[in-house]
Amino acid sequence: MKKQALLGTIVVGCILHILYQVLHFTTNFVPEYKQLKYLPAASSRSVQEIRQINLKAACRSFENEEGIFNESYLSKQNMYSKTYKFAVCEIQKCGSGAWLKLLLITEGFYTMEEYFIDEKMRGEKVLQIASEQLSLWPMQNKSEQRKIWKNAFKVIMVRNPFDRIVSAYVDKLVPGAPGFNYFYEPTSRKINQKYRHLRHDVESRTRADNGTATFEDFLNYLIDTDGGEDNPHFTFYHALCNPCKVHYDYIIKFETMQEDIEFLQNYLNISEEHRKIFFPPGRYSARTDKVKKFYEQTPKELTNKLYSVYKKDFVLFDYDRAFPAN
């Protein structure tokens, strides 16, 4: 009986110690001045804490402890709002266009009326304003730059990498798509020419088609080029935003977009007027069923290779490799 009692005491002690360590790690992971104070629901904070804990653990598995979360490290992909004092990492096919339009209006470069006239906020002029006025990177006063960056509330938005790859393909490489332009049309045709011989359906390798990349061609291209030759629409989250060097205070996922955005709007005290264009409900979401259809027609061996290429992004942001049901 004494041995059983002693054993029980040891087990309880171990459990309490583990709980203490988890709670201690959770509450101390985010610097005190960065901890989220606005809590519309207890689950909102819990979700963020889980994401932060997972990200830090994943970073430790990929990087040396000394190399993670450098307060002075500035991401080139940042866009900064002076109005609301936050910075967002620009990831193409993860809401980058919506963030760009939002900041162009909140910072006074365009009006709310112009937001709803699509052609008004397109083209080289918009991109030039973004690179010169919204990014902290070109600032000449580096001391001021570091101060702003240090105090900014840093946000990153991600989605399941498999989902993002489908979005990039549908938007950039398919004839008639919005992004099928002077650059991506020849890119699509080159991918077709170079990778069609790898198609699983042997007959389709020589069958006449429209000369543009199939989804399978695109995946073979991504695998062969290790993420698409640094193209920002195809390459990795960790390459664009360095989440193991930059401490992002808030992680938004497409899969929980509505809840994450509502929390952020309240935390940043976004005005009622600006909330109308701050990722309005229903316009942005993960398209799970549509995405699965693409992968259901893709050889499993190919999706496994694709996962290996994008594995770091999957692990950093806790995405399931089993997403494509094929």
Side-chain angles (χ1 to χ4, degrees):
M1 291 294 291
K2 288 183 178 180
K3 287 184 178 180
Q4 290 178 337
L6 179 60
L7 181 61
T9 301
I10 292 172
V11 170
V12 171
C14 289
I15 292 172
L16 290 173
H17 177 72
I18 292 170
L19 287 173
Y20 169 78
Q21 291 296 327
V22 170
L23 289 171
H24 177 76
F25 178 77
T26 300
T27 55
N28 286 282
F29 173 68
V30 182
E32 184 177 349
Y33 73 95
K34 294 281 190 179
Q35 289 196 16
L36 304 179
K37 305 253 186 336
Y38 181 86
L39 300 175
S43 60
S44 298
R45 181 165 185 164
S46 300
V47 167
Q48 282 301 311
E49 287 174 344
I50 291 170
R51 290 175 184 175
Q52 298 281 6
I53 289 170
N54 177 80
L55 177 60
K56 187 168 186 179
C59 286
R60 282 174 168 163
S61 72
F62 290 116
E63 312 278 348
N64 293 326
E65 180 70 22
E66 296 76 17
I68 65 174
F69 303 128
N70 184 336
E71 196 174 69
S72 64
Y73 187 90
L74 175 63
S75 169
K76 289 183 179 181
Q77 291 288 117
N78 77 83
M79 293 190 292
Y80 178 69
S81 169
K82 295 178 183 177
T83 304
Y84 294 110
K85 304 295 187 293
F86 78 92
V88 61
C89 184
E90 180 186 16
I91 300 179
Q92 283 75 6
K93 310 314 301 175
C94 286
S96 61
W99 284 113
L100 174 58
K101 287 184 176 181
L102 172 67
L103 267 64
L104 286 170
I105 291 170
T106 63
E107 306 313 298
F109 296 104
Y110 287 86
T111 65
M112 286 287 291
E113 290 73 22
E114 288 174 312
Y115 173 85
F116 297 100
I117 306 173
D118 197 45
E119 62 270 17
K120 282 281 187 179
M121 301 184 70
R122 286 182 177 274
E124 294 300 321
K125 181 182 178 182
V126 168
L127 297 177
Q128 183 178 357
I129 293 173
S131 63
E132 294 178 358
Q133 304 294 331
L134 298 180
S135 175
L136 294 174
W137 191 260
M139 283 185 66
Q140 297 298 314
N141 187 333
K142 298 306 178 184
S143 176
E144 183 66 13
Q145 178 197 67
R146 287 191 294 272
K147 180 180 177 182
I148 293 173
W149 179 244
K150 178 180 178 180
N151 293 316
F153 187 79
K154 301 176 188 65
V155 178
I156 186 171
M157 178 181 283
V158 296
R159 68 201 296 183
N160 187 301
F162 283 136
D163 185 0
R164 178 175 176 245
I165 287 166
V166 170
S167 179
Y169 171 72
V170 171
D171 181 54
K172 298 297 180 185
L173 302 179
V174 176
F180 191 73
N181 56 23
Y182 66 93
F183 177 80
Y184 284 101
E185 179 176 356
T187 299
S188 182
R189 296 190 182 281
K190 288 176 184 177
I191 291 173
N192 174 301
Q193 293 168 12
K194 186 171 182 179
Y195 297 99
R196 63 182 299 140
H197 73 282
L198 296 175
R199 292 175 185 174
H200 184 70
D201 179 359
V202 176
E203 291 184 2
S204 70
R205 297 175 184 179
T206 54
R207 186 188 303 139
D209 56 23
N210 64 8
T212 61
T214 65
F215 186 62
E216 186 178 354
D217 295 338
F218 181 48
L219 299 193
N220 276 310
Y221 160 74
L222 294 176
I223 293 165
D224 183 47
T225 59
D226 194 30
E229 303 174 290
D230 296 326
N231 183 305
H233 292 87
F234 310 150
T235 198
F236 315 112
Y237 299 146
H238 63 84
L240 292 170
C241 296
N242 297 286
C244 289
K245 290 187 180 295
V246 177
H247 172 75
Y248 289 98
D249 303 290
Y250 197 67
I251 301 169
I252 300 173
K253 291 190 173 186
F254 261 53
E255 296 76 12
T256 53
M257 171 78 76
Q258 189 168 340
E259 298 90 338
D260 294 347
I261 288 295
E262 182 181 357
F263 180 97
L264 188 64
Q265 288 175 341
N266 290 322
Y267 181 76
L268 296 175
N269 197 25
I270 304 297
S271 72
E272 290 301 318
E273 185 73 359
H274 288 156
R275 287 183 188 223
K276 296 175 184 177
I277 59 171
F278 202 112
F279 292 89
R283 288 192 62 183
Y284 305 92
S285 61
R287 301 160 299 173
T288 305
D289 292 338
K290 181 179 179 180
V291 171
K292 282 186 177 180
K293 288 180 180 178
F294 277 89
Y295 290 100
E296 284 170 354
Q297 302 170 33
T298 303
K300 188 172 183 179
E301 181 184 357
L302 195 61
T303 56
N304 287 339
K305 289 180 180 178
L306 184 70
Y307 172 80
S308 296
V309 172
Y310 286 85
K311 180 178 179 179
K312 188 171 181 179
D313 281 349
F314 277 89
V315 175
L316 289 174
F317 295 102
D318 197 24
Y319 280 110
D320 186 356
R321 67 172 294 173
F323 176 72
N326 54 1

